[in-house]
Every structure is written in C-alpha cells, then in structure tokens.
Amino acid sequence: MPRFAANLTMMFNEHAFLDRFQAAADAGFKAVEYLFPYDDPADTVAGRLEAAGLEQALFNMPPGNWSDGDRGLAALPDRAQEFRASVDTAIRYARVIGTPLLHMMAGLADARDPQAIRCYRNSLRYAADRTGEAGVGLVIEPINGRDMPGYFLNDFDRALGFVRELDLPHVRLQFDIYHRQILHGDLTMALRAMMPHIGHIQTAAVPLRNEPGTGELDDARIFAEIDALGYAGFVGCEYRPKAATVDGLGWLKALGGGSS
C-alpha cells in the first residue's frame, strides 16, 4: 500500500488549520501536505508538525493573491518580480518546516501565448536554480480546466515536456490522479510511462473529488499499480470529505490503516 499524506487544506476542516496536524496524526496519518502555510509563522507550523510526529510531504509556493483569483504567478510576465520573491518566501518556509518538495503554480494565462510560455520557462528555470541551491525538490502539476478554468498548465504531456527540457534530477512532475482522469484518462498507462519523472502523486475520487472509492475509478487497483511501479513517495489525499473527515476514512482502513 502506498504511504498516504493527509491534505490539511481539504481534510480535517472540522478543526482550525494548526489543530489539523494532531487530528491527522490521531487518524493514523504519518505525513501531511497542504496548499499554503504562509498565514502562520514557519516556526509555528514546524512546531505543530513536530508535536504531532508527522512528516511534511509538500506545500505550494505562494500563488499571488488567492482570494482575488490568483492561481500562481509563473506564467504571468507582468508579475515576474513578485514571482521571484514568492520563490524566496517558499524556500524560507521550506527550510524551517522541512518539506522535501515545493509545488510551483503556473497561474491563469493563455497556454498558447508566446509571452506566457517564455515567462513560464524562465520562471521554472529560476525556481529550479533556487530550489536546487536549497536542496529542495520542485514539482509542477497540470490542473484541469473544470476545477480551475484558464490555468496555464493544463496538459500532462506538456508538463512532462517542461520537466524533460530542464533535465534536472530535483525537478519532477506532480501526478494528480483526479486531474489526470478529467484531462486525459488512460491512468495506468500514463503512470507507467511517466513514473520515472514523477516526484509526487495526489488522489481524489472522480468526478466529485471526494474520498477514494466513491467515484468512477477503481482506486484500490490504482494504488496497487503505484506500489507495483515502485513509487516510494507519499500519495497526497487532496480530496473533499463528503461529511466528517474521520467518518470517511473507511477506504484507508480497508487498505490496512494509516500511512506507514
């Protein structure tokens, strides 16, 4: 069975963010991820992580102003300086919290716009250089247009192309099962083909983004495939519980309990 990380942005919302760490540990998880830690001091987040005995799997670089609709800055030419500052902020947090991976969000931009493409390439190179110096891994993730209309990076082959272009061992693909199924389908073959370049995996049921086992996919079979392919990282549970988080963890118990 893969090792699962609770996504504290979507799960355990019955608690305030800083209290979700212990709630995840109490539910049997050994690791967590979340979108952004930047509303709290890095040492406060690190303290909750340590007190709960958890590993940090991943979090995102600052996306700009999320409440105003920003979904990343990497492909936005007029936000280049802000993007570079966001990379520095993320690395500062990564060092204190101890995350092995940072996810760089692309932003809302026309995927065919030459200026956006050039900006994204430059941003990825900058982030790759800075994370490489810091000893932190960097991942990029295609996101489907139903959940995030207008997102620049909306194709798995294209994302893989950017990763291969750089050809750096610490720059890899974030493979979200939910986004992959909505964008392209063909999950098993994509996992097999892309696994050498995958740095992180996330899961949610399709089509409603609830717990694994509640949608159209055979999630247990997909997890077995991930195991068979030798994936050693965490699988982030980036799903929206249908009701109380703990009440919906039957899928995890059926697989043998919490992450290990």
Side-chain angles (χ1 to χ4, degrees), residues 180-199:
R180 172 71 201 193
Q181 175 68 5
I182 293 170
L183 282 168
H184 310 292
D186 201 22
L187 266 165
T188 298
M189 296 306 291
L191 279 167
R192 291 174 182 176
M194 297 181 178
M195 186 57 73
H197 302 282
I198 293 174

Side-chain angles (χ1 to χ4, degrees), residues 6-54:
N7 187 294
L8 299 187
T9 301
M10 292 192 172
M11 301 173 70
F12 299 102
N13 278 215
E14 302 86 353
H15 308 275
F17 175 69
L18 291 174
D19 296 330
R20 294 173 198 171
F21 292 84
Q22 190 60 54
D26 292 344
F29 287 96
K30 299 295 188 293
V32 294
E33 62 176 36
Y34 35 80
L35 294 187
F36 315 110
Y38 309 108
D39 286 343
D40 296 287
D43 56 354
T44 300
V45 178
R48 294 300 181 103
L49 186 75
E50 182 178 4
L54 294 165

Side-chain angles (χ1 to χ4, degrees), residues 144-164:
N144 80 80
R146 188 171 75 204
D147 284 67
M148 202 171 285
Y151 194 69
F152 173 82
L153 194 63
N154 59 4
D155 182 275
F156 272 71
D157 288 335
R158 192 178 197 209
L160 184 58
F162 284 124
V163 169
R164 284 175 164 162

